[in-house]
Amino acid sequence: MASKIIVVGDVNGQFPAVFKKLSALHTKNAFSLAIIAGNLFADPADTSTTNDEDITALFDGTITIPLPTYFALGSHTLPPRIVEKLESGGEVCSNLYFLGKRTTIKTSEGIRIVALGGTLDPNVTVGLSKDKYLPFYTEDDAKALGGAHSADIFIANDWPSSIRVGSKVGFTPEQGEPSSQECVATLSSTLKPRYHFSTFGTFYEREPFFHPEDAAGDRRVTRFISLASYNNPAKQKWLYAFSLDLSTSARTTLPPGTTASPLSRPSKKRAALPDQETYSRFSQPNNHHHHQNKRQRQPPPAPSECFFCLSNDNLATHLLTSIATDTYLTTAKGPLSTSNTFPQLGFPAHILIIPLTHSPTLEAIPEPAARATTYKEMQRYRGALHNMLTTLGRQKLGAVTWEVARSNGIHIHWQFLPISVDLIRKGLIEAAFKVEAENEKYPQFKTRDIGDGADEKHDFFRIMIWSPSDEDKEQPTETSRSDLSNSPAGRETSLVLPLSANFRFDLQFGRRVLAKLLGLESRLSWKDCSQSHEDEVADAEAFKKAFKMYDFSLVEG
């Protein structure tokens, strides 16, 4: 069952009005708990008679707190009367609990909260801070909290450094830049919280971001929100309510707009997005084997620069549709097909199946076991896609998957495209590839299954052609979902074109042949098929909705 939670920014001593507001909201929404992420009390240096009277009202129960409420250590010192009360009784009053400077707690709902209070003390370079009420922490305090390993909610007064890297959310602070620290970024990266809250004068909510997969196979998504203060003159958001369901997997379907994690990572950017199919930065896509190019080849990009690696800051994460253990799916940028190409589907369905490992070929993955599991999972995704087409295409759609495996390549991937069953059964797919290869004076295709390609002595271009059986396919049920990654009954043909190391091969060959077959010659290059960001998101979301029943990563996450 999901828990409803409400988080509040800086209150700065105006807690009578804030708790009254929380009471009204709690009556309507039945929150499980509330969190004050910033300063609950006024700065003792600016205290007044009213502040002191309000604290008295809090102690004697005149001000009531309707639900369990946790308050953080903000940027200034707690009032002496509050410190005395905490020292004597452990809580300020009924339902009001101090999170402390360096705290890990689990609520009665099972929600794990980690809090790092105060601001970084520049005068202390080593050791843990001794006074638990002074609003300063050390780097060792932050490191110590890393021992919690995980958190559902992380509260820190300082922002994590680099949090705005890779974000498209505008931020115009009215009070200068927020204090941000590398140790907070490292801690957040370690904890991988579902929600990370901070406070500042200007409200800021970053796009969700995902963390690299951990040893257990989980890839968590974090939302960073910094709340404005209560009663701020700009009327910026100072409350944030949400539901947290701990029964859901840490590995989730990526929300629209999700980016790679900006935390503790290099922020180097490149302006241009290379061709997903041709990597035009490293080769000339329209030059064939008889053209000479004597320019020195640039070194291939590292994973942080590769546009198929999840560690790249510039990864087009809005195209990601599924992430499993060793591979992931993404819709193609500049797809060959359109939403009208396959009316049964209503979306382009030009899909890339990409290993998480940065390797030019499957054969180049160093560990045999890792190579085997990666290949198996890539085929499993194909099977799931085939099942989707069998149902949605009503036996009218097959599929073609193609691959260019070159030892001097960058990041191996398979491209998947639905195709009319009639074209397959008439032998037109095989004929089209063989004729085009002959026209280009390429080597001859061989019909054979080469598995992960580990036993091949040369580079190769491969196409895998699948068509469903004539049997009717029933609509799958939720209980059968985990079995839907097994490719349904049908006919499978694999054609392989051997390539020597110095052979000039057109990396757009597969797309070019299929474009001619489908009457889509105007879409030969992905660059001529650019879409708006909104259209890309819409196509990705439409595919995810259709594929959800078949996505084994959701079942097993």
Side-chain angles (χ1 to χ4, degrees):
M1 181 177 177
S3 299
K4 293 182 179 180
I5 302 167
I6 187 166
V7 182
V8 180
D10 283 318
V11 175
N12 292 322
Q14 302 175 78
F15 53 84
V18 169
F19 287 138
K20 184 177 180 180
K21 176 71 172 178
L22 285 180
S23 294
L25 293 172
H26 179 57
T27 299
K28 296 179 181 179
N29 298 279
F31 291 109
S32 299
L33 59 94
I35 299 173
I36 313 295
N39 295 298
L40 174 57
F41 301 100
D43 189 338
D46 302 325
T47 55
S48 64
T49 303
T50 301
N51 296 137
D52 198 56
E53 290 173 350
D54 289 341
I55 290 175
T56 299
L58 201 60
F59 288 169
D60 63 23
T62 304
I63 297 175
T64 59
I65 303 175
L67 75 164
T69 302
Y70 301 85
F71 70 97
L73 178 62
S75 58
H76 56 240
T77 307
L78 296 176
R81 292 183 65 193
I82 297 298
V83 173
E84 292 172 6
K85 184 71 172 176
L86 290 171
E87 284 290 287
S88 62
E91 64 180 40
V92 176
C93 61
S94 178
N95 270 343
L96 186 59
Y97 308 98
F98 180 47
L99 282 175
K101 179 182 296 187
R102 188 179 66 247
T103 306
T104 300
I105 65 168
K106 181 176 284 190
T107 70
S108 58
E109 297 81 12
I111 298 168
R112 190 178 181 87
I113 302 174
V114 174
L116 178 66
T119 58
L120 183 65
D121 190 340
N123 299 316
V124 180
T125 56
V126 294
L128 302 176
S129 54
K130 304 300 182 183
D131 193 316
K132 57 186 176 182
Y133 302 112
L134 287 178
F136 302 103
Y137 67 87
T138 68
E139 290 191 356
D140 282 350
D141 287 324
K143 291 177 182 177
L145 283 174
H149 300 300
S150 66
D152 298 306
I153 301 172
F154 176 39
I155 309 291
N157 187 70
D158 284 337
W159 280 28
S161 61
S162 305
I163 190 62
R164 281 154 48 202
V165 170
S167 171
K168 296 179 181 178
V169 177
F171 181 68
T172 308
E174 299 177 358
Q175 305 171 2
E177 289 290 322
S179 173
S180 60
Q181 304 297 337
E182 183 64 31
C183 61
V184 176
T186 301
L187 178 55
S188 186
S189 185
T190 299
L191 297 174
K192 300 177 179 61
R194 299 175 189 240
Y195 288 86
H196 179 166
F197 287 98
S198 189
T199 58
F200 187 64
T202 303
F203 174 77
Y204 176 74
E205 181 175 7
R206 193 199 186 280
E207 303 97 329
F209 57 89
F210 62 83
H211 299 269
E213 188 175 89
D214 61 22
D218 289 333
R219 180 176 285 103
R220 299 181 66 123
V221 173
T222 293
R223 289 170 170 83
F224 175 78
I225 300 107
S226 183
L227 295 167
S229 57
Y230 169 72
N231 203 27
N232 65 87
K235 306 297 182 183
Q236 298 218 12
K237 191 171 182 177
W238 60 277
L239 281 170
Y240 192 96
F242 62 100
S243 294
L244 189 60
D245 187 354
L246 299 182
S247 66
T248 60
S249 170
R251 180 189 294 147
T252 61
T253 300
L254 294 177
T258 303
T259 75
S261 173
L263 305 179
S264 303
R265 292 155 37 81
S267 59
K268 179 180 179 182
K269 293 186 177 182
R270 289 177 8 194
L273 178 68
D275 186 337
Q276 284 189 324
E277 296 180 56
T278 66
Y279 290 108
S280 57
R281 177 182 172 191
F282 305 97
S283 62
Q284 299 301 310
N286 295 318
N287 284 352
H288 297 185
H289 64 285
H290 52 276
H291 290 168
Q292 298 298 317
N293 183 354
K294 297 183 179 180
R295 291 182 299 171
Q296 185 173 0
R297 185 182 295 269
Q298 295 294 320
S304 62
E305 297 174 316
C306 171
F307 281 89
F308 288 144
C309 282
L310 298 186
S311 58
N312 189 334
D313 287 330
N314 291 335
L315 186 74
T317 53
H318 62 286
L319 302 179
L320 295 179
T321 55
S322 176
I323 302 177
T325 303
D326 299 293
T327 54
Y328 70 95
L329 292 187
T330 176
T331 53
K333 195 170 186 68
L336 171 58
S337 48
T338 71
S339 297
N340 299 320
T341 305
F342 310 109
Q344 311 97 311
L345 304 180
F347 49 87
H350 184 173
I351 304 299
L352 306 186
I353 307 174
I354 308 172
L356 296 176
T357 301
H358 181 69
S359 176
T361 64
L362 285 169
E363 190 274 335
I365 296 177
E367 294 294 331
R371 180 171 64 244
T373 56
T374 298
Y375 173 73
K376 181 179 179 180
E377 195 169 82
M378 294 177 80
Q379 289 288 16
R380 198 175 180 193
Y381 264 132
R382 280 188 73 226
L385 290 166
H386 292 162
N387 270 295
M388 181 189 73
L389 293 182
T390 299
T391 302
L392 300 183
R394 301 185 181 278
Q395 308 298 117
K396 301 298 184 183
L397 291 177
V400 176
T401 304
W402 69 99
E403 165 193 10
V404 180
R406 307 216 68 167
S407 57
N408 61 356
I410 297 165
H411 194 131
I412 188 64
H413 59 282
W414 292 354
Q415 298 200 53
F416 177 96
L417 191 75
I419 204 79
S420 166
V421 163
D422 288 340
L423 291 176
I424 297 175
R425 290 176 179 166
K426 291 177 181 177
L428 297 179
I429 305 297
E430 294 183 45
F433 275 97
K434 291 178 179 178
V435 169
E436 193 70 19
E438 184 177 351
N439 291 341
E440 296 295 336
K441 296 182 171 53
Y442 287 170
Q444 288 188 345
F445 274 103
K446 303 293 184 182
T447 302
R448 58 195 181 96
D449 182 3
I450 60 172
D452 61 14
D455 295 330
E456 293 300 291
K457 297 179 180 179
H458 303 287
D459 296 340
F460 59 86
F461 171 80
R462 164 167 56 178
I463 55 173
M464 293 173 279
I465 307 167
W466 172 85
S467 60
S469 67
D470 294 328
E471 299 176 3
D472 291 335
K473 179 76 174 181
E474 295 181 357
Q475 181 69 27
T477 62
E478 190 68 29
T479 55
S480 66
R481 176 178 168 187
S482 61
D483 298 325
L484 294 175
S485 57
N486 297 318
S487 193
R491 183 173 182 269
E492 175 98 13
T493 301
S494 177
L495 300 177
V496 179
L497 181 74
L499 304 171
S500 61
N502 60 352
F503 187 82
R504 297 292 300 176
F505 179 72
D506 178 9
L507 300 181
Q508 293 217 51
F509 179 70
R511 179 172 181 138
R512 180 155 51 86
V513 172
L514 293 172
K516 291 180 179 179
L517 273 172
L518 295 172
L520 298 172
E521 288 91 339
S522 63
R523 301 178 67 83
L524 283 174
S525 172
W526 75 274
K527 297 177 183 178
D528 298 327
C529 307
S530 60
Q531 299 174 282
S532 67
H533 178 82
E534 291 73 21
D535 287 342
E536 290 179 339
V537 170
D539 283 345
E541 290 301 307
F543 170 76
K544 282 196 288 186
K545 183 178 179 180
F547 187 62
K548 183 177 180 180
M549 178 67 75
Y550 311 88
D551 190 350
F552 59 89
S553 74
L554 299 179
V555 176
E556 299 172 1

PDB file of all heavy atoms in Angstrom, residues 9-20:
ATOM      1  N   GLY A   9       9.290  23.172   2.866  1.00  0.00           N
ATOM      2  CA  GLY A   9      10.570  23.868   2.824  1.00  0.00           C
ATOM      3  C   GLY A   9      10.847  24.625   4.116  1.00  0.00           C
ATOM      4  O   GLY A   9      10.345  24.266   5.188  1.00  0.00           O
ATOM      5  N   ASP A  10      11.645  25.692   4.055  1.00  0.00           N
ATOM      6  CA  ASP A  10      11.962  26.485   5.247  1.00  0.00           C
ATOM      7  C   ASP A  10      10.697  27.105   5.824  1.00  0.00           C
ATOM      8  O   ASP A  10       9.897  27.724   5.114  1.00  0.00           O
ATOM      9  CB  ASP A  10      12.949  27.600   4.887  1.00  0.00           C
ATOM     10  CG  ASP A  10      14.370  27.094   4.727  1.00  0.00           C
ATOM     11  OD1 ASP A  10      14.807  26.266   5.553  1.00  0.00           O
ATOM     12  OD2 ASP A  10      15.041  27.518   3.772  1.00  0.00           O
ATOM     13  N   VAL A  11      10.525  26.950   7.134  1.00  0.00           N
ATOM     14  CA  VAL A  11       9.383  27.535   7.840  1.00  0.00           C
ATOM     15  C   VAL A  11       9.794  28.819   8.563  1.00  0.00           C
ATOM     16  O   VAL A  11       9.017  29.774   8.683  1.00  0.00           O
ATOM     17  CB  VAL A  11       8.790  26.510   8.831  1.00  0.00           C
ATOM     18  CG1 VAL A  11       7.679  27.122   9.665  1.00  0.00           C
ATOM     19  CG2 VAL A  11       8.276  25.287   8.068  1.00  0.00           C
ATOM     20  N   ASN A  12      11.028  28.830   9.075  1.00  0.00           N
ATOM     21  CA  ASN A  12      11.624  30.020   9.700  1.00  0.00           C
ATOM     22  C   ASN A  12      10.763  30.607  10.810  1.00  0.00           C
ATOM     23  O   ASN A  12      10.537  31.818  10.898  1.00  0.00           O
ATOM     24  CB  ASN A  12      11.913  31.088   8.639  1.00  0.00           C
ATOM     25  CG  ASN A  12      13.014  30.684   7.685  1.00  0.00           C
ATOM     26  OD1 ASN A  12      14.003  30.068   8.089  1.00  0.00           O
ATOM     27  ND2 ASN A  12      12.851  30.984   6.399  1.00  0.00           N
ATOM     28  N   GLY A  13      10.263  29.724  11.682  1.00  0.00           N
ATOM     29  CA  GLY A  13       9.531  30.178  12.861  1.00  0.00           C
ATOM     30  C   GLY A  13       8.052  30.405  12.651  1.00  0.00           C
ATOM     31  O   GLY A  13       7.317  30.642  13.620  1.00  0.00           O
ATOM     32  N   GLN A  14       7.569  30.300  11.433  1.00  0.00           N
ATOM     33  CA  GLN A  14       6.141  30.539  11.169  1.00  0.00           C
ATOM     34  C   GLN A  14       5.343  29.233  11.262  1.00  0.00           C
ATOM     35  O   GLN A  14       4.395  29.009  10.521  1.00  0.00           O
ATOM     36  CB  GLN A  14       5.978  31.164   9.784  1.00  0.00           C
ATOM     37  CG  GLN A  14       6.734  32.481   9.614  1.00  0.00           C
ATOM     38  CD  GLN A  14       6.650  33.030   8.199  1.00  0.00           C
ATOM     39  OE1 GLN A  14       5.631  33.614   7.811  1.00  0.00           O
ATOM     40  NE2 GLN A  14       7.706  32.830   7.443  1.00  0.00           N
ATOM     41  N   PHE A  15       5.730  28.391  12.203  1.00  0.00           N
ATOM     42  CA  PHE A  15       5.132  27.061  12.286  1.00  0.00           C
ATOM     43  C   PHE A  15       3.672  27.047  12.738  1.00  0.00           C
ATOM     44  O   PHE A  15       2.950  26.105  12.389  1.00  0.00           O
ATOM     45  CB  PHE A  15       5.989  26.125  13.149  1.00  0.00           C
ATOM     46  CG  PHE A  15       6.336  26.638  14.510  1.00  0.00           C
ATOM     47  CD1 PHE A  15       5.446  26.486  15.563  1.00  0.00           C
ATOM     48  CD2 PHE A  15       7.546  27.258  14.759  1.00  0.00           C
ATOM     49  CE1 PHE A  15       5.757  26.931  16.831  1.00  0.00           C
ATOM     50  CE2 PHE A  15       7.869  27.720  16.019  1.00  0.00           C
ATOM     51  CZ  PHE A  15       6.971  27.564  17.063  1.00  0.00           C
ATOM     52  N   PRO A  16       3.168  28.038  13.520  1.00  0.00           N
ATOM     53  CA  PRO A  16       1.729  27.985  13.828  1.00  0.00           C
ATOM     54  C   PRO A  16       0.871  27.972  12.566  1.00  0.00           C
ATOM     55  O   PRO A  16      -0.060  27.166  12.449  1.00  0.00           O
ATOM     56  CB  PRO A  16       1.499  29.256  14.656  1.00  0.00           C
ATOM     57  CG  PRO A  16       2.821  29.518  15.297  1.00  0.00           C
ATOM     58  CD  PRO A  16       3.825  29.147  14.266  1.00  0.00           C
ATOM     59  N   ALA A  17       1.189  28.827  11.619  1.00  0.00           N
ATOM     60  CA  ALA A  17       0.416  28.881  10.374  1.00  0.00           C
ATOM     61  C   ALA A  17       0.661  27.631   9.518  1.00  0.00           C
ATOM     62  O   ALA A  17      -0.266  27.106   8.887  1.00  0.00           O
ATOM     63  CB  ALA A  17       0.793  30.135   9.583  1.00  0.00           C
ATOM     64  N   VAL A  18       1.905  27.142   9.496  1.00  0.00           N
ATOM     65  CA  VAL A  18       2.232  25.974   8.692  1.00  0.00           C
ATOM     66  C   VAL A  18       1.536  24.725   9.226  1.00  0.00           C
ATOM     67  O   VAL A  18       0.950  23.941   8.459  1.00  0.00           O
ATOM     68  CB  VAL A  18       3.760  25.766   8.633  1.00  0.00           C
ATOM     69  CG1 VAL A  18       4.094  24.399   8.026  1.00  0.00           C
ATOM     70  CG2 VAL A  18       4.411  26.869   7.815  1.00  0.00           C
ATOM     71  N   PHE A  19       1.556  24.533  10.552  1.00  0.00           N
ATOM     72  CA  PHE A  19       0.899  23.355  11.103  1.00  0.00           C
ATOM     73  C   PHE A  19      -0.621  23.428  10.926  1.00  0.00           C
ATOM     74  O   PHE A  19      -1.287  22.399  10.775  1.00  0.00           O
ATOM     75  CB  PHE A  19       1.263  23.178  12.580  1.00  0.00           C
ATOM     76  CG  PHE A  19       2.678  22.697  12.788  1.00  0.00           C
ATOM     77  CD1 PHE A  19       3.476  23.230  13.794  1.00  0.00           C
ATOM     78  CD2 PHE A  19       3.211  21.697  11.986  1.00  0.00           C
ATOM     79  CE1 PHE A  19       4.783  22.783  13.984  1.00  0.00           C
ATOM     80  CE2 PHE A  19       4.510  21.242  12.166  1.00  0.00           C
ATOM     81  CZ  PHE A  19       5.298  21.788  13.166  1.00  0.00           C
ATOM     82  N   LYS A  20      -1.173  24.623  10.936  1.00  0.00           N
ATOM     83  CA  LYS A  20      -2.605  24.786  10.666  1.00  0.00           C
ATOM     84  C   LYS A  20      -2.911  24.367   9.221  1.00  0.00           C
ATOM     85  O   LYS A  20      -3.916  23.687   8.954  1.00  0.00           O
ATOM     86  CB  LYS A  20      -3.017  26.238  10.901  1.00  0.00           C
ATOM     87  CG  LYS A  20      -4.504  26.491  10.727  1.00  0.00           C
ATOM     88  CD  LYS A  20      -4.862  27.935  11.044  1.00  0.00           C
ATOM     89  CE  LYS A  20      -6.353  28.189  10.868  1.00  0.00           C
ATOM     90  NZ  LYS A  20      -6.721  29.606  11.187  1.00  0.00           N
TER      91      LYS A  20
END
